């Protein structure tokens, strides 16, 4: 009543078949070995999945780190920290983006310095003029007044700014 796996080969003597060699192996043994092989394959697959997940985690973190740093630098720049720069510049696309962000920050800093110099120059000219001068925008609101204007109309510079010129 046992299931067996048979293998038989003819035993040849001269030109005639003298008999057969027969081997039988219970299928329970075969099922046991295939079960062991299946378990080994499953463990190998499980191990490969764990390794793949670990590699994916390491790669995702290494790719996200420079992006996170550039995001923080951009936020600092947006909040007015004009000295913020990307420090770790790699030779890949992240490094190129970091260099571009630094270049943009440098150009903004340079433009701000230039505008500050121009403003100081205009303020100096405006403050040394003996004539009363008021700068107004397109909607006739006062942007700035010089000291002579303040004295003539008895108004403080801060009070005049933003008010309609007719007042």
């Amino acid at each position: 009543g046992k299931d067996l796996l048979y293998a038989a080969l003819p035993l040849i003597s001269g030109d005639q078949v003298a008999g057969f060699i027969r081997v039988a192996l219970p299928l329970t043994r075969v099922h046991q070995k295939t079960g062991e092989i299946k378990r080994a394959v499953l463990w190998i697959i499980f191990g490969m999945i764990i390794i793949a997940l670990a590699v994916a985690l390491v790669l995702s973190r290494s790719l996200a780190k420079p992006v996170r740093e550039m995001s923080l630098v951009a936020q600092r720049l947006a909040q007015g920290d004009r000295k913020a720069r990307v420090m770790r510049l790699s030779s890949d696309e992240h490094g190129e983006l970091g260099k571009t962000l630094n270049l943009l920050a440098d150009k903004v800093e340079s433009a701000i310095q230039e505008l500050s110099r121009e403003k100081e120059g205009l303020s100096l000219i405006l403050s040394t003029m003996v004539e009363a001068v008021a700068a107004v925008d397109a909607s006739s609101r006062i942007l700035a007044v010089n000291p002579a204007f303040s004295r003539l109309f008895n108004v403080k510079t801060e009070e005049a700014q933003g008010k309609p010129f007719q007042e």
Side-chain angles (χ1 to χ4, degrees):
K2 282 187 179 180
D3 290 333
L4 299 173
L5 175 65
Y6 287 97
L9 292 172
L11 188 57
I12 301 175
S13 177
D15 288 342
Q16 292 187 339
V17 176
F20 290 92
I21 298 176
R22 186 182 86 161
V23 177
L25 184 64
L27 282 179
T28 55
R29 178 94 171 139
V30 172
H31 291 309
Q32 182 184 15
K33 286 295 179 187
T34 56
E36 289 173 8
I37 291 170
K38 284 180 185 177
R39 280 189 294 282
V41 168
L42 287 175
W43 277 110
I44 290 170
I45 290 172
F46 179 71
M48 297 291 278
I49 289 172
I50 296 298
I51 291 170
L53 287 173
V55 168
L57 181 65
V58 168
L59 283 176
S60 70
R61 285 192 177 169
S62 70
L63 291 174
K65 189 174 185 179
V67 173
R68 201 174 315 113
E69 181 186 359
M70 285 183 272
S71 176
L72 291 173
V73 168
Q75 287 173 6
R76 287 176 48 207
L77 287 168
Q79 293 170 352
D81 181 0
R82 297 185 341 214
K83 300 296 180 195
R85 297 294 183 273
V86 179
M87 294 301 168
R88 286 182 232 122
L89 297 172
S90 58
S91 60
D92 60 2
E93 293 85 1
H94 291 122
E96 286 299 314
L97 184 58
K99 288 176 193 171
T100 303
L101 185 61
N102 287 348
L103 179 63
L104 176 64
D106 291 341
K107 289 191 179 262
V108 167
E109 175 67 20
S110 177
I112 289 172
Q113 288 175 354
E114 179 65 26
L115 288 171
S116 292
R117 282 192 295 275
E118 287 179 15
K119 182 181 176 189
E120 288 172 10
L122 290 173
S123 292
L124 181 64
I125 291 169
L126 194 61
S127 66
T128 57
M129 292 179 71
V130 291
E131 295 87 5
V133 177
V136 294
D137 63 11
S139 61
S140 296
R141 293 205 173 270
I142 297 174
L143 297 174
V145 296
N146 70 348
F149 184 96
S150 295
R151 284 190 303 276
L152 180 64
F153 293 102
N154 196 24
V155 63
K156 294 181 183 176
T157 303
E158 301 82 31
E159 293 173 359
Q161 288 176 342
K163 291 190 176 181
F165 185 69
Q166 281 72 17
E167 283 185 29

